[in-house]
Amino acid sequence: MKGPCSQHTHRHRLIQPSLTDLTAQLRRNSRKITASRQAILNVLRRHQHPLTNREIHAALAGFECDLATVYRNLNTLEEMGMVRRFDFGDGVARFELLTEGDDGHHHHLVCTRCSTVVEIEDCFPAELEAALAARHGFTQISHKLEFFGVCPECRVQKLA
Amino acid sequence: MKGPCSQHTHRHRLIQPSLTDLTAQLRRNSRKITASRQAILNVLRRHQHPLTNREIHAALAGFECDLATVYRNLNTLEEMGMVRRFDFGDGVARFELLTEGDDGHHHHLVCTRCSTVVEIEDCFPAELEAALAARHGFTQISHKLEFFGVCPECRVQKLA
DNA sequence: TTCTCTGCAAACGCTTTGCATTTCA
DNA sequence: TGAAATGCAAAGCGTTTGCAGAGAA
């Protein structure tokens, strides 16, 4: 978790919400369609891997806004379910855009050398989770799961 | 993640390292056996669920030391492999004492209402993890996994 | 004595917040 | 017009660090 984030590679999901959908969703929640929000949403649409507030702020093209505004908007967008927050354990929140109807539940494989992020299709087996919940009498169970390792490029670099 | 941590319940693991082992381990790493370290280790031995730096500091009995010293010592103990750091995603580090030879790899089930923590025996299936690593060409793979839900007590409280 | 540790206070990084002003509906 | 959003600056919070003095080996 050290390299600059511009080097992230990422397997993109196929569906990208259109900007129209996004603004419609904003309207439905009686939130205003401001220039900063449009700019933030555009950044998230372009880079579909987890971005920090600072990265989003730096990537704003054309329209600039205060970093505090980025923080505020991402919290708002998360509340509205338009964005999902991820935590890679380094004390910095990261966000990905969601498509409507998609809860965005998935996991990542993060390179501990260069911070490359790969989106993962695997998940903790649902039947195991259900059994675990039942065993301890817990309800409304969920989980956070992220994988870490050394990516192919970094492994080669070390050998060289 | 809101209740006070004194209410944590926890399934204790059977093996508890003796204080003698701990000081021996310190000596081996040519670290000094100071009063604050002994007090911290005693706190960790008494409460065998994940504790924050602040909680450890508050639980110090008899010997008091600076909060910064607690932070420094837990980092040192982690480097030495005597303690394992956990991250429940609330921005606060938590620590558990390890027994020698045990890497402490396990997971938790945390109540989102009262913060009760249950130690979990389940883990992400190793063969799935290996396949995942191979699929993406990653090596030295590891994972972070924590479960969240509503504990039996809190569910009952809500119904009442 | 020497190297490590500690207390204290200050700094750091991420994030939130109060307030006056601007902007969207 | 009125509610929501923004910029700016300050504060909050967990954590780290610089430095001089204290303590273990």
Side-chain angles (χ1 to χ4, degrees):
Chain A
M1 205 67 71
K2 22 188 161 130
C5 284
S6 54
Q7 302 175 340
H8 283 169
T9 60
H10 192 269
R11 287 218 278 142
H12 289 230
R13 275 165 294 159
L14 296 177
I15 309 153
Q16 289 200 351
S18 74
L19 239 197
T20 320
D21 288 347
L22 296 174
T23 55
Q25 209 168 336
L26 277 170
R27 253 193 218 96
R28 231 171 296 141
N29 288 59
S30 65
R31 325 294 314 219
K32 299 182 175 173
I33 296 146
T34 62
S36 55
R37 261 173 206 163
Q38 287 178 309
I40 289 169
L41 289 172
N42 270 324
V43 169
L44 288 171
R45 284 208 324 136
R46 288 207 306 273
H47 316 269
Q48 212 154 344
H49 46 106
L51 293 179
T52 66
N53 282 285
R54 197 167 294 276
E55 286 165 352
I56 293 166
H57 182 247
L60 290 175
F63 188 84
E64 312 273 310
C65 73
D66 196 86
L67 182 57
T69 299
V70 176
Y71 274 95
R72 275 192 276 232
N73 277 328
L74 281 155
N75 288 341
T76 304
L77 293 170
E78 188 193 15
E79 279 170 26
M80 294 171 53
M82 296 182 61
V83 134
R84 189 177 176 99
R85 181 189 301 259
F86 289 95
D87 169 25
F88 291 172
D90 62 349
V92 194
R94 276 158 233 267
F95 298 89
E96 276 184 25
L97 195 57
L98 296 186
T99 50
E100 267 191 276
D102 169 26
D103 74 343
H105 185 81
H106 63 269
H107 307 292
H108 301 92
L109 173 52
V110 184
C111 178
T112 51
R113 299 259 170 79
C114 71
S115 298
T116 287
V117 176
V118 183
E119 188 172 304
I120 292 300
E121 52 291 339
D122 300 75
C123 191
F124 191 82
E127 59 277 12
L128 280 185
E129 183 171 78
L132 194 161
R135 195 178 315 135
H136 296 97
F138 273 57
T139 49
Q140 300 175 47
I141 201 161
S142 63
H143 62 260
K144 293 189 182 187
L145 171 61
E146 303 293 350
F147 296 88
F148 303 88
V150 178
C151 75
E153 288 76 19
C154 287
R155 183 182 16 135
V156 170
Q157 278 183 10
K158 198 194 176 184
L159 296 176
Chain B
M1 205 66 66
K2 23 189 161 133
C5 284
S6 53
Q7 300 177 343
H8 283 171
T9 61
H10 192 267
R11 285 217 278 142
H12 288 231
R13 274 165 295 158
L14 297 177
I15 308 152
Q16 289 201 349
S18 75
L19 240 198
T20 319
D21 287 347
L22 296 174
T23 54
Q25 210 167 335
L26 276 171
R27 251 190 221 101
R28 232 171 295 143
N29 289 59
S30 65
R31 328 285 326 209
K32 299 186 173 169
I33 297 146
T34 62
S36 54
R37 263 174 205 162
Q38 286 180 309
I40 289 169
L41 289 171
N42 270 324
V43 170
L44 288 172
R45 284 206 327 133
R46 286 206 308 272
H47 317 271
Q48 212 154 344
H49 47 106
L51 294 179
T52 67
N53 283 285
R54 195 168 296 276
E55 286 165 353
I56 294 167
H57 183 246
L60 290 174
F63 186 85
E64 312 272 312
C65 73
D66 197 83
L67 181 57
T69 298
V70 176
Y71 274 95
R72 275 193 276 234
N73 277 329
L74 281 155
N75 287 342
T76 304
L77 292 170
E78 189 194 15
E79 279 168 28
M80 292 171 52
M82 295 183 62
V83 134
R84 189 177 175 97
R85 181 189 301 259
F86 289 95
D87 169 25
F88 291 173
D90 62 349
V92 194
R94 277 158 230 268
F95 298 88
E96 276 184 23
L97 194 57
L98 296 187
T99 50
E100 266 190 277
D102 170 24
D103 74 344
H105 184 81
H106 63 269
H107 306 291
H108 302 92
L109 173 52
V110 185
C111 179
T112 50
R113 299 258 170 79
C114 71
S115 298
T116 286
V117 177
V118 182
E119 189 171 306
I120 292 302
E121 52 291 338
D122 300 76
C123 192
F124 191 82
E127 59 278 12
L128 280 186
E129 183 171 78
L132 194 160
R135 196 177 315 132
H136 296 97
F138 274 57
T139 50
Q140 300 177 44
I141 201 162
S142 65
H143 62 260
K144 293 190 181 185
L145 171 62
E146 303 293 352
F147 296 89
F148 302 89
V150 178
C151 76
E153 289 76 18
C154 286
R155 181 179 21 136
V156 170
Q157 280 183 8
K158 198 193 173 184
L159 296 175

